[in-house]
Amino acid sequence: MQVANKSEIRMGSGIAMNTTVDAGATHEVMNLESPYETVRKLATCNAVVVFSMSGCCMCTVAKRLLFGLGVGPTIIELDEHAAGHDIQAVLYDLCPDGQQSIPAIFIGGKFLGGIETLMAFHINGSLVPLLKEAGALWL
């Protein structure tokens, strides 16, 4: 697992938070009461996080692309998570109007977006440098 020691995450309100976390926090966040805190902690303590649904074909595309690039993202299957519905509501608030909230991809503690943004970054060549900057790739 990769750790983002210092990260900034911008949530729907436009407020940026700087945090420092350790790798042990990943498992603890699953038990937090606030779904917002769960998303924030997971995003800041992992280089790449994919919030997914197990039966979603676009989620599978996103995960396969990342795995194909040599990235081992932290994957949260919302349909298998006790607070999945509440977490999905937080992710919905992060998405611009008209965009799907699942899959939701965070890289380096920052919300990248969904499948459209991930594919656009890959096609224009900016995904690999972003993954390297986040510490997810060692190329």
Side-chain angles (χ1 to χ4, degrees), residues 14-81:
I15 298 171
M17 290 177 270
N18 290 316
T19 59
T20 302
V21 296
D22 63 33
T26 304
H27 298 290
E28 294 172 19
V29 298
M30 302 307 273
N31 297 324
L32 294 175
E33 290 182 32
S34 166
Y36 171 84
E37 279 297 307
T38 300
V39 171
R40 187 183 68 79
K41 289 277 192 173
L42 284 167
T44 57
C45 69
N46 296 284
V48 180
V49 180
V50 177
F51 290 92
S52 174
M53 296 286 234
S54 58
C56 169
C57 63
M58 290 297 108
C59 296
T60 301
V61 169
K63 292 182 276 190
R64 285 187 180 206
L65 172 60
L66 292 168
F67 285 130
L69 292 172
V71 176
T74 299
I75 297 170
I76 309 300
E77 298 292 353
L78 296 175
D79 55 332
E80 298 172 4
H81 190 282

Side-chain angles (χ1 to χ4, degrees), residues 117-131:
T117 308
L118 181 69
M119 294 304 292
F121 271 57
H122 181 57
I123 291 167
N124 73 20
S126 57
L127 181 60
V128 170
L130 185 63
L131 292 167

